[in-house]
Structures are given as C-alpha cells and as structure tokens.
Amino acid sequence: QVHLVVSGGGLVQAGGSLRLSCAASGRTLSNYVMGWFRQAPGKERAFVASITWSGGSTAYADSVKGRFTISRDNNKNTVYLQMNSLKPEDTAVYYCAATTFWNTRGTNDYNYWGQGTQVTVSS
C-alpha cells in the first residue's frame, strides 16, 4: 500500500509558476512509475505527466509540454510537478498517482492516488 499526500496548490496569475509535491509513505516510491493528472470542473480526469521509476524518462500531455516538468527524488520519496507559464486553462484539481506500468496515460492503470490539490490560474 502506498499513501500519497499532495501539496503546493494555490492561486496564481497567468504566466506565474507553482510547484506541486507528492510525498509517499508506505512502500518505497522507487517501485512505481509516478504520474500527475488533473480534473477541471465538468471534465474527466486527464493525464498531465509521468516519470519512470528512476526518473530517466518522462512523458507529457501536449497541452503542458514545454511548460511543466515532472521530477522525482526517490531518497525523499517525493515526486514534483513544476508548472511554469501557467494559463487559466490549467485551472483544475491536480492529483498524483502511482502505477507499476510505464507508458500508460489511463487513470484505470494507476493503483494509488493522492487527495488532490486545487490550482487556480487567474487571467
């Protein structure tokens, strides 16, 4: 069992930056591929980014490529999402999640989920 706690959300103006953190307890995070997802009001939860067990490979949704960076520190059992050049359309609840599969963007493939944090980008 992996328990994930997300922090770092908030209100920011368009063009600003935020960094989200996802801290894990229970099993070591290095056993899992980690992903970030987001869910805007009235929309389905959508893939944002993922990172392999060692951090050697990453994947991004087209909508955030070049603006967001996913990283991990397995010594700290923590995954990060650095979000730059934020846009109002990035407004959503952001979740981190863990899976044992690489190269998947489906929510059903992720076994463990954090509680989510609200990110609001004002125009």
Side-chain angles (χ1 to χ4, degrees):
Q1 190 79 8
V2 176
H3 182 59
L4 302 173
V5 177
V6 180
S7 61
L11 173 64
V12 64
Q13 288 188 332
S17 298
L18 281 175
R19 188 175 81 155
L20 305 183
S21 298
C22 174
S25 60
R27 295 183 180 176
T28 179
L29 206 60
S30 61
N31 291 335
Y32 298 94
V33 168
M34 297 301 297
W36 286 97
F37 290 76
R38 66 186 182 186
Q39 188 166 18
K43 295 188 176 181
E44 294 187 351
R45 195 169 298 187
F47 172 82
V48 174
S50 61
I51 188 167
T52 52
W53 300 264
S54 63
S57 293
T58 56
Y60 296 94
D62 288 343
S63 59
V64 307
K65 202 172 293 184
R67 300 186 298 121
F68 290 12
T69 302
I70 187 172
S71 62
R72 67 191 298 162
D73 185 340
N74 286 338
N75 290 327
K76 295 183 178 180
N77 248 15
T78 302
V79 178
Y80 305 97
L81 185 68
Q82 178 67 42
M83 305 185 293
N84 298 330
S85 303
L86 282 161
K87 305 175 181 180
E89 51 264 43
D90 294 318
T91 295
V93 176
Y94 283 72
Y95 300 86
C96 72
T99 180
T100 55
F101 302 106
W102 173 237
N103 206 25
T104 176
R105 303 187 177 201
T107 56
N108 289 340
D109 290 329
Y110 283 78
N111 308 99
Y112 304 103
W113 291 84
Q115 84 282 10
T117 187
Q118 176 70 46
V119 171
T120 303
V121 184
S122 63
S123 57

